[in-house]
Amino acid sequence: MPLLHPFAWPLTTPLPPIATNYTPRTIAFTTALRHSSRRVSYSSPPAAGRVENSSFDSAEFEAERLRLDAEARDAMAKTAADAVGDSEAAGSGDPKAWKWKIRKRVWDLMEAEGIARNPRPVHHRIPNFVGSADAAESLGRLEVFQSAQCVKVNPDSPQKQVRFLTLTDSQALPSGSIVEACTSVGAAKYGRPIGLDEKIKVDLIVIGSVAVDPRTGARLGKGEGFAELEYGMLRYMGSIDDTTMVVTSVHDRQLVDDIPVDKLLIHDVPVDIVCTPTQVIFTNTLIPKPQGIYWEKLSPEKLGQIRILRELKRRIEKETGKMLPCGPSEKLPPTARRGRR
């Protein structure tokens, strides 16, 4: 049975109707650039009057994205297996192995119970699920969403409807392009990359999850760590603070009760609100939100493959006149290999 929370809104209780006229919003979400290992945020819709790039090849972009995604998932599967194997062989072993065990349990369960939806298999992804649109509609009814002027949404499949609701009634996108603009291809086609000097205020963060503990707000992603890095960069930019709400949408079967808060890392991002197809949960999380990039945790391999992080590090060192620390060496995460050809 799915876990219920004392502060949940079961959907047997009618929620206020979704507004028919959303306040025009911008949406920022991340996508891996073709032939590039760095991840960038896109501000979408673009400025009014912007015309899409006529030379943009959507088919080529999507084919390359799918190829790189498959490579990354294969490598991530090996990383997960090695971590769990090393942990079992050494007793205590890899300190992250417990996360992989929970992720695998949830992915396996979703496939076994027929909850999973394309893209399949859901392993090593933010998993798409039956009822993702219902969860998104509940998210769209939240007061914090209704009042937001700028929403950051992750680019994964289960949050596509959230992106659609965010862009609804936009006057800046070409007619009939909103559905495409909700995809990674559409973000590259219609969006505008934003840099560290961008003066934006993000009112709400929507984040994808593999597993969430609704009692504490503890969350596990798919293991790449980009949500945490993006959060840290937004903190540096002054775009968010501790009061910025973090919301996730998941299936009820992704709710778990065994994420040990004391084992979470300082850069792990907790969630304030969980939306499922059947309930809305206010976690009232007490887990501290990250205050920025924790350079002492960032390996030289990952730093070497993410250009915007290197730019940020150089900037901070120049401003402070001090060298920033660097974390221990590690095997290059699968995502960071995507652009290495």
Side-chain angles (χ1 to χ4, degrees):
M1 293 291 292
L3 293 174
L4 292 176
H5 190 274
F7 298 99
W9 295 344
L11 294 194
T12 51
T13 303
L15 293 174
I18 293 180
T20 55
N21 292 309
Y22 283 103
T23 303
R25 299 182 180 89
T26 58
I27 177 174
F29 64 96
T30 58
T31 183
L33 277 180
R34 183 163 48 100
H35 302 315
S36 174
S37 59
R38 70 187 177 115
R39 309 243 310 181
V40 299
S41 293
Y42 277 87
S43 175
S44 176
R50 174 178 172 143
V51 179
E52 64 180 84
N53 183 354
S54 60
S55 65
F56 181 81
D57 189 328
S58 297
E60 181 186 356
F61 181 97
E62 181 67 0
E64 179 73 354
R65 185 188 71 81
L66 291 173
R67 182 182 68 80
L68 296 175
D69 179 68
E71 288 183 3
R73 287 190 300 107
D74 288 345
M76 185 66 77
K78 185 178 185 304
T79 299
D82 289 347
V84 174
D86 291 346
S87 175
E88 292 175 348
S92 57
D94 191 321
K96 298 179 183 178
W98 66 269
K99 291 185 176 182
W100 287 113
K101 291 179 180 178
I102 294 175
R103 290 181 183 116
K104 185 177 186 303
R105 186 184 76 218
V106 171
W107 285 324
D108 287 348
L109 179 148
M110 294 181 74
E111 290 286 355
E113 295 191 358
I115 296 166
R117 286 296 178 264
N118 288 329
R120 305 274 295 276
V122 294
H123 294 74
H124 306 290
R125 304 182 192 271
I126 296 297
N128 201 5
F129 56 89
V130 173
S132 61
D134 294 329
E137 296 290 339
S138 296
L139 193 156
R141 293 183 174 98
L142 294 172
E143 181 179 352
V144 67
F145 180 86
Q146 292 280 321
S147 62
Q149 295 297 307
C150 181
V151 181
K152 179 193 178 297
V153 188
N154 60 297
D156 300 286
S157 296
Q159 283 72 46
K160 185 175 182 179
Q161 181 68 9
V162 178
R163 298 192 292 275
F164 179 81
L165 294 175
T166 306
L167 291 174
T168 297
D169 294 333
S170 168
Q171 302 300 310
L173 283 166
S175 177
S177 64
I178 290 180
V179 172
E180 183 182 21
C182 295
T183 67
S184 294
V185 170
K189 186 175 181 180
Y190 300 108
R192 174 177 61 84
I194 62 174
L196 295 170
D197 293 319
E198 194 84 17
K199 300 301 180 185
I200 59 171
K201 179 182 182 296
V202 175
D203 302 304
L204 176 66
I205 292 176
V206 180
I207 193 170
S209 303
V210 173
V212 186
D213 188 333
R215 305 168 308 162
T216 64
R219 163 202 171 267
L220 297 182
K222 61 183 175 181
E224 293 180 326
F226 279 101
E228 289 73 21
L229 290 172
E230 291 158 3
Y231 187 95
M233 285 188 281
L234 287 172
R235 287 296 295 244
Y236 170 81
M237 293 166 64
S239 299
I240 58 174
D241 57 30
D242 282 336
T243 66
T244 307
M245 300 291 278
V246 179
V247 186
T248 193
S249 59
V250 296
H251 194 275
D252 293 270
R253 296 292 274 159
Q254 292 175 257
L255 303 180
V256 302
D257 60 4
D258 59 345
I259 299 179
V261 173
D262 60 334
K263 290 187 178 181
L264 292 175
L265 302 176
I266 193 171
H267 57 258
D268 286 328
V269 179
V271 297
D272 299 289
I273 306 175
V274 183
C275 296
T276 81
T278 67
Q279 55 186 317
V280 175
I281 304 166
F282 292 83
T283 69
N284 296 314
T285 184
L286 298 177
I287 301 171
K289 291 177 178 174
Q291 300 299 298
I293 300 290
Y294 294 93
W295 301 100
E296 70 277 11
K297 305 291 185 182
L298 189 62
S299 73
E301 289 83 5
K302 181 171 285 189
L303 181 64
Q305 290 299 315
I306 306 176
R307 188 183 308 169
I308 196 166
L309 279 180
R310 298 198 303 273
E311 177 187 335
L312 177 58
K313 185 172 185 288
R314 284 194 297 267
R315 179 178 298 193
I316 294 174
E317 288 174 342
K318 183 177 180 181
E319 290 174 353
T320 63
K322 297 179 180 179
M323 296 295 291
L324 290 171
C326 193
S329 182
E330 64 175 350
K331 287 185 178 180
L332 196 63
T335 298
R337 290 196 188 101
R338 290 184 181 184
R340 296 187 68 182
R341 287 291 180 270

